Amino acid sequence: MKRMITLALVIGFAFSAATQAGLILVVSDSYAPGDASNTDHCDDPLVGFLQSLGHTVDTSGMGKAMREGANSPWAVGNEAKLAALNNADLVFVSRRTDSGKYDADRKGWNELATPVILMSGYLTRGGGNNKWGWHTSGSGNAALTEDSIVVEAGQEGHAFLTGLMSPVDAFDWPGDPAEAPKALYLPNTDGTSAGTVVGTFDGRDALLDIPAGTDLDALNGSTDKYGVTGARRAFLGHWGYDNPGTYDFDDFVTDAGGLLMANVVAEMIPEPATIALLGFGALALVRRKR
């Protein structure tokens, strides 16, 4: 019954407004659909999901193409990569990213004048951690003893939660632990997150809304390390891809979890880009492989 109610909400919301699609650049260590150079295609469903929302997806940031060093968008000779990031309506940083390969460019990512959605809890680390500083502490495993994101008091009407009620049953872990991911990697409970905490999972911050102009150095007590957010930022924690090539982005994600992701994408893209067309993408996540 709960599943049917969710589907009804999704379908109704899909037709709530006429909209215009945006350009989303995906950053991932998984390889792009159709790229036969590597077998890691865990984020093919992510690309399909975003396309099903009506968006155009730029996959030039996939396949480790935006890692620090020679591939860095901020390295001399890679001006086209930086231009692609700046020209996008939204940058979507997948959970399938090795956080140690993106931290040297932290100020560039933070000060980018394009909205960013981040799904890697590892990259939220701040304080003494050399990541992106969206949180003042480290990150760690959130146990998979529950499957819901609990909405913080006062955040029930947040745009990220359109058509949803607390708790959001975002995941459906299999009964056999051997078939499940290890954990969700989320900010530790001994620190403070930037922006507004919209929802938590296992007591850890799992859904954040960070406005443009947030001074991440002031948050972390640092100087010229993390920078100031150049546009709006959102963190939505996603489970880990423990076996690349076996697990996919949409495994263990429910209809409600799909609608939550679609809401965040729509809200993060500036007008006049997509505000709705969300239901189609959420419906694409209806199939659950496990």
Side-chain angles (χ1 to χ4, degrees):
M1 178 61 71
K2 183 183 295 183
R3 185 177 180 81
M4 295 305 296
I5 291 172
T6 302
L7 282 171
L9 288 169
V10 166
I11 293 169
F13 192 66
F15 296 97
S16 62
T19 60
Q20 198 172 13
L23 173 62
I24 301 177
L25 190 149
V26 172
V27 176
S28 174
D29 287 354
S30 284
Y31 288 73
D35 185 344
S37 65
N38 193 284
T39 59
D40 182 354
H41 284 272
C42 295
D43 275 338
D44 280 12
L46 169 59
V47 174
F49 170 67
L50 296 173
Q51 290 172 333
S52 74
L53 297 177
H55 302 295
T56 298
V57 179
D58 181 350
T59 60
S60 65
M62 299 183 71
K64 307 178 182 180
M66 295 283 185
R67 284 184 168 194
E68 63 191 38
N71 286 335
S72 169
W74 291 273
V76 175
N78 291 341
E79 290 79 9
K81 292 184 178 183
L82 185 57
L85 290 170
N86 282 309
N87 290 336
D89 294 307
L90 175 67
V91 173
F92 195 115
V93 181
S94 164
R95 168 65 185 87
R96 184 82 180 104
T97 46
D98 181 343
S99 62
K101 303 299 183 181
Y102 294 87
D103 56 344
D105 294 328
R106 69 180 70 87
K107 282 192 66 179
W109 291 109
N110 285 335
E111 296 182 346
L112 190 69
T114 305
V116 175
I117 293 175
L118 173 65
M119 281 197 155
S120 170
Y122 282 121
L123 279 170
T124 63
R125 294 175 178 181
N129 299 276
N130 294 322
K131 305 306 177 188
W132 289 7
W134 294 16
H135 187 269
T136 61
S137 185
S139 59
N141 296 349
L144 305 183
T145 55
E146 54 188 86
D147 56 15
S148 300
I149 293 176
V150 178
V151 177
E152 287 287 276
Q155 297 302 316
E156 294 83 357
H158 195 288
F160 288 173
L161 303 170
T162 301
L164 296 165
M165 294 183 294
S166 184
V168 179
D169 295 330
F171 306 103
D172 59 347
W173 316 122
D176 183 353
E179 296 181 358
K182 294 179 181 178
L184 264 70
Y185 303 92
L186 301 174
N188 289 340
T189 57
D190 61 349
T192 302
S193 291
T196 299
V197 179
V198 180
T200 62
F201 180 94
D202 192 34
R204 297 172 179 267
D205 296 349
L207 181 58
L208 305 176
D209 185 3
I210 304 172
T214 299
D215 189 336
L216 298 173
D217 282 307
L219 174 72
N220 286 278
S222 55
T223 302
D224 197 32
K225 180 175 182 179
Y226 300 109
V228 176
T229 55
R232 193 176 183 183
R233 301 290 188 259
F235 169 67
L236 175 56
H238 196 59
W239 60 272
Y241 303 78
D242 303 300
N243 295 302
T246 302
Y247 292 158
D248 288 337
F249 163 83
D250 57 347
D251 286 349
F252 319 117
V253 177
T254 65
D255 304 340
L259 179 55
L260 176 62
M261 293 178 191
N263 284 343
V264 175
V265 170
E267 180 66 15
M268 291 295 291
I269 296 180
E271 294 284 3
T274 300
I275 307 286
L277 284 180
L278 303 181
F280 301 111
L283 285 171
L285 286 177
V286 166
R287 70 176 179 87
R288 297 184 291 176
K289 299 180 181 177
R290 300 178 186 273

